[in-house]
Structure formats: structure tokens, C-alpha cells
Amino acid sequence: MSAEPVRDQASAVPTMDQAPAVPVPDQASAVPGSDQAPVVPVPDQVSGASVVDGVSTGLDRSTLRLALVVGGLVLAVLLGFGLGRLNTNGATGSPLPAVEHTDPPGVAPHSHGSATAADQGAATEPGGLAVSSAGLTLAPLATEFAAGRPGQFRFQVRDAQRRPVTRFAIVHDKPMHLIVVRRDLTGYQHLHPTMTADGTWSVPLTLAQPGLWRAYADFTIVADNGAQTAVTLGTDLVAPGDYRPRPLPGPATSTTVDGFTVGYQGTPQVGATVPLTFRVDGAGGAAPLERYLGAYGHLVALREGDLGYLHVHPETELVDGQIKFWLTIPSPGRYRLYLDFQVNAQVQTAELTLTLP
């Protein structure tokens, strides 16, 4: 039975040995599941309680502590339920607007490898080697495509509870970067899917030649507390048919693409961060580079064999008319470099092979 509310609080003054009076509200309206937190009934205590008009206004200390502990547990459960309903990462929630990617102050241009990669000064482990990492899983809706025919690649990024994630940071003008390449490192594509309200990403995709292909989802998620985590997940795609892998071209520091000559200066080293500067020349000299996805260039490096993935971010401005990156190579081997750049509103991709003993 619930105690009646105290009518005159001013007269209920506890002594030093008494716990403060705790009014007990009416229990009839405290229905579990409603917006009002249920109140834990507290029996009237005679010992150690002050009485006003015959109504108990205080509790002994042990009972008060028990009541506060139980009430705190009930409040925690209700708050957890409320926060769970506010979570927008569930399949039925509406996606929150993507936010701009932020880095800690003083962080230089860097590479996106695995979610646990350290800062630019440490050896970066390649990303994209696993379909699951950092509690997230890349879940494609289909993985088989007819070679040479246009199709749609659809997928979700799911959390540890298998719920589609819908909150992503915008990195280089896009919330999702999708890299697709065949196992022999040919057919490179840099795509930007769009997401529906249920967390399903989709993008037109054509696998030009038969074979096994690798798709990398490169993104940064935003937690409820605003924390951002960069992750790269990978999955295999297949185009059935006669697969004839092409040999990887030999190492070179320059190449040509669509009338442009692209070359780099710098000496990559295993486990060390070194500058790599790319120059793009046209028929009349240095090409008038334009910003593409918020930067003058985008560099992806893929390791031959396991197709480990590095996405390297450049300096924000050109350095003597050139694109400057800071590259960390994680291990010896052969790597294929893909440089995206834009001139006259046209995006080009230059490809080079890098070998480190």
C-alpha cells in the first residue's frame, strides 16, 4: 500500500541520525512500459523515522540505501530502453545525415588501411583483407555478375547485432568509396554508391572480363557519441567464364594515359613514411589539375597476392604544381599504384607498378 504524500515538508526536519524523508508517489499511475518510470514501493518504517500527522516521512538508512539502489537499476533499464529506441542504426530507423570526417588536430595527410592502423608515422597494415572488422561486416546482396554486362552491386554494412549501419562521415565529398579490381590487378574502378533509408548501398557495376574480382568498401562510421572510425572491408565478386590473368607490368616511375604523362618522385620504403610526389604533364607542359572529390589526387595501392589495400590521402594543396602524398608500405612485395586526377572535368587513372625487395 502506498504512503500518502507528505502535506507539510517544513515540519519534517531529520536529526543527524535520521535519513532525509523520501516522499513516495502514488503507485497507481506507474505502469511499466509507459513514459513514467515505475516507482518501487517502500514499506513504512517506524524505527528511525519522523512522523507528521501520523504519516511516516523517513526511512532507516539500510532501507533507504536499498530503495535507492533498486530505483537506480530501474531507471538505468528505462534509460537504456529509451536510448535503444533512439538508435538510428537499426534496419527500421531513418538514416541520420552524414557528417564531415574529422581528424585529431595535427594529423597529416594519411592512408586508410585497417581500422586499427596507427598514425601515419607507423607501419600501416593493409585493409580490405576481411569481410568483417571492427565489429562491422560487409554483406553483399549478390556476388555473381555476367562478364561485360551492366549490373547493380548492392550491399549493406552491418554491426555486431546484424543491423544495417546508416550513419557515415563524408570523406573526400562522399560517404562511401567503392574500389573494384580483378585479381590480376586489372579493370580498376573507383565508384561511389548511394544509400537508401534501410542502409542498402547500390551502384551500377560492370565486370568487363571473366574472373575473380575484389570489391573494397572504404568508409568512416559515426557512433552515437560522435566518434568516427575509418574501416575498409573487402569481399570477392565473380564473373564466370574463361579467366586469363594478365601479367603485372614491370616496375616504373612514369606512365602515359590519354595524352598525359604521369610520373612520381620519391623512394618508398617498407615500414617508413616517405613523401611521394606526382607530376602530371600534358602536351604544353604541366597539366592544369582540378580538384576531384575535394583533393587534387587520390592514390590507391594494392599488394599483389592478397590484394591488401591502402588508400593514401594527399596534401590539401599542390606543392610546386605537384600532388604530394605520404606513403607507408607495410611489407616487401609488388604493389600496383592507381592515381586518380582530373583535368578539364575529366577524371583519369594512371597505373604504375612498385616493387620493394
Side-chain angles (χ1 to χ4, degrees), residues 288 290-292 341-348:
E290 302 165 351
R291 290 188 182 274
Y292 167 59
F341 64 94
Q342 180 172 297
V343 177
N344 297 326
Q346 296 293 319
V347 178
Q348 307 288 346

Side-chain angles (χ1 to χ4, degrees), residues 18-200:
Q18 294 174 332
V22 181
V24 181
D26 182 15
Q27 296 294 315
S29 61
V31 181
S34 69
D35 292 337
Q36 182 175 356
V39 180
V40 180
V42 180
D44 181 40
Q45 301 294 325
V46 176
S47 175
S50 60
V51 177
V52 177
D53 292 337
V55 179
S56 173
T57 62
L59 307 173
D60 63 39
R61 291 180 178 178
S62 61
T63 304
L64 176 61
R65 282 195 296 268
L66 177 61
L68 291 176
V69 170
V70 174
L73 290 174
V74 173
L75 181 59
V77 170
L78 290 175
L79 286 175
F81 175 76
L83 290 174
R85 296 192 64 178
L86 289 175
N87 180 15
T88 59
N89 285 351
T92 59
S94 300
L96 293 179
V99 300
E100 290 290 344
H101 172 58
T102 58
D103 290 310
V107 173
H110 57 285
S111 60
H112 282 186
S114 66
T116 57
D119 59 27
Q120 183 69 359
T124 301
E125 286 301 316
L129 296 176
V131 72
S132 294
S133 179
L136 302 170
T137 298
L138 179 61
L141 274 63
T143 58
E144 184 173 316
F145 293 79
R149 294 184 182 178
Q152 284 281 333
F153 181 47
R154 296 182 176 87
F155 62 93
Q156 292 179 336
V157 176
R158 297 175 181 168
D159 63 15
Q161 287 74 44
R162 303 294 295 168
R163 300 172 302 185
V165 177
T166 58
R167 194 175 185 190
F168 298 80
I170 296 176
V171 182
H172 285 290
D173 290 351
K174 299 291 181 180
M176 177 70 69
H177 297 263
L178 184 75
I179 304 298
V180 179
V181 67
R182 201 167 70 158
R183 275 281 170 180
D184 59 359
L185 298 176
T186 63
Y188 174 88
Q189 301 178 59
H190 184 166
L191 307 172
H192 302 104
T194 57
M195 187 185 71
T196 58
D198 68 350
T200 300

Side-chain angles (χ1 to χ4, degrees), residues 273-293:
T273 300
V274 299
L276 211 62
T277 305
F278 282 83
R279 179 182 177 89
V280 180
D281 288 315
L289 295 171
E290 302 165 351
R291 290 188 182 274
Y292 167 59
L293 299 175

Side-chain angles (χ1 to χ4, degrees), residues 320-342:
D320 296 329
Q322 301 178 66
I323 314 167
K324 186 175 183 178
F325 298 90
W326 293 88
L327 178 64
T328 306
I329 296 295
S331 68
R334 293 205 296 176
Y335 294 79
R336 192 65 167 165
L337 306 180
Y338 306 89
L339 174 70
D340 292 332
F341 64 94
Q342 180 172 297

Side-chain angles (χ1 to χ4, degrees), residues 1-21:
M1 178 177 178
S2 305
E4 295 180 1
V6 177
R7 289 186 292 274
D8 183 6
Q9 292 291 349
S11 63
V13 181
T15 67
M16 294 296 293
D17 295 329
Q18 294 174 332

